[in-house]
Amino acid sequence: MAFIAHLSDMHIGAINFKEELLLRAINKVNDLNPNLVIVTGDITNNGYYAEFERAAEFMELFESPLLVVPGNHDARHIGNECFEELIKKQCGTLNVKTPEISAIGLDSSEPDIDYGKIGRAQQASMEAELKSAGENNLYKIIALHHHIIPVPKTGRERNVLTDAGDILKSIIDGEADIVLSGHKHVPYVWFVGNTTFVTAGTVSSLKLRGKDVCSFNTIDIKPDTVEVVLNQADGKSKCLAKFENRCKVID
């Protein structure tokens, strides 16, 4: 089996960033001891070097293998260069393989703009990774910051990927099992074909909608089922989705 923790949108450096909430979440994740921790972007708020230095210190607190992709906030003020130096160098490749899973990280950020793009080069690389993972009977996970499918209750859609249609087709054709994203600060689950799309809320920012609270997701992949659980900062948890493991390669 495989157990994954999915966190997003820390916004370190923002006025509404709450360090105690992030530390509490990191401690809980470490207690859960997942096989992999995936962070889907906006770890900083402005992309400043000092924010990335602080973010790197938090990333070092995770005790499990880590995959981090950048978000639109991370790409501000040449933050893309800071991410390469302080985060990607620390976390290594954006693609992580274990005996059970293949986690493919995508950089959907563009410097100083909020909308996202994957581009043809990354698309081709993703397609190749999905094909390889399928040939090796691995559970296929895609991680990126921007959502590919609009998220309910988040207002007018303005920040979806500019090449969402092309990327969605590649993901469905490549039979990805799960796609993880953040960006909207709203946790939700969509099912398209045999692929499950999971968005995470913000783990440590008070930029929330309505009565939402900070949270992160966990994904428990078992031989027959997959369960996505929302873990809230107030200590409550609830199942977002439980469905058949169509891959059925996890021992």
Side-chain angles (χ1 to χ4, degrees):
M1 62 180 293
F3 187 70
I4 307 234
H6 172 208
L7 298 83
S8 197
D9 293 84
M10 299 170 177
H11 288 283
I12 294 166
I15 294 176
N16 50 26
F17 165 67
K18 295 299 178 183
E19 180 176 343
E20 64 272 20
L21 293 181
L22 181 54
L23 289 173
R24 190 186 308 168
I26 292 172
N27 288 335
K28 184 170 182 178
V29 167
N30 288 338
D31 288 342
L32 292 170
N33 190 30
N35 301 98
L36 178 64
V37 175
I38 297 177
V39 180
T40 53
D42 279 1
I43 57 174
T44 69
N45 195 61
N46 300 291
Y48 295 141
Y49 194 88
E51 292 179 349
F52 274 109
E53 286 183 312
R54 195 175 178 197
E57 294 174 355
F58 286 114
M59 297 302 105
E60 289 178 353
L61 298 177
F62 286 108
E63 297 172 357
S64 298
L66 184 64
L67 188 158
V68 185
V69 297
N72 56 296
H73 281 260
D74 300 318
R76 294 176 176 176
H77 307 110
I78 64 169
N80 52 306
E81 296 180 8
C82 303
F83 182 90
E84 289 285 328
E85 177 185 342
L86 295 171
I87 304 299
K88 188 176 179 180
K89 183 178 179 181
Q90 172 183 312
C91 301
T93 177
L94 289 180
N95 297 331
V96 176
K97 287 185 174 67
T98 76
E100 298 88 11
I101 63 174
S102 175
I104 304 164
L106 302 175
D107 181 357
S108 62
S109 67
E110 290 282 301
D112 294 305
I113 56 177
D114 287 333
Y115 66 78
K117 179 181 179 181
I118 297 300
R120 293 181 179 178
Q122 279 197 100
Q123 182 181 1
S125 177
M126 177 190 70
E127 291 172 348
E129 290 288 342
L130 287 173
K131 181 179 179 181
S132 175
E135 292 171 347
N136 289 283
N137 290 325
L138 298 177
Y139 197 85
K140 301 181 286 291
I141 299 173
I142 302 290
L144 73 165
H145 178 64
H146 292 82
H147 53 292
I148 299 174
I149 302 175
V151 181
K153 300 180 180 180
T154 60
R156 187 175 66 179
E157 190 50 67
R158 295 170 294 184
N159 299 339
V160 75
L161 292 178
T162 58
D163 51 356
D166 294 328
I167 303 306
L168 180 60
K169 186 176 188 306
S170 292
I171 285 172
I172 299 302
D173 289 350
E175 298 182 325
D177 293 290
I178 289 183
V179 177
L180 305 179
S181 60
H183 190 48
K184 283 291 192 175
H185 298 194
V186 173
Y188 201 75
V189 177
W190 282 114
F191 299 94
V192 179
N194 290 326
T195 302
T196 304
F197 293 78
V198 181
T199 61
T202 170
V203 68
S204 54
S205 169
L206 296 185
K207 190 178 178 181
L208 297 159
R209 290 171 169 80
K211 295 182 180 180
D212 287 352
V213 298
C214 292
S215 64
F216 67 92
N217 297 332
T218 51
I219 302 150
D220 193 4
I221 306 167
K222 295 181 178 179
D224 295 315
T225 61
V226 179
E227 184 175 20
V228 182
V229 173
L230 179 71
N231 303 269
Q232 297 184 165
D234 59 7
K236 298 178 181 179
S237 63
K238 64 178 179 180
C239 177
L240 288 178
K242 188 172 184 178
F243 50 94
E244 179 185 2
N245 182 357
R246 293 172 289 269
C247 186
K248 292 189 175 180
V249 299
I250 308 298
D251 295 323

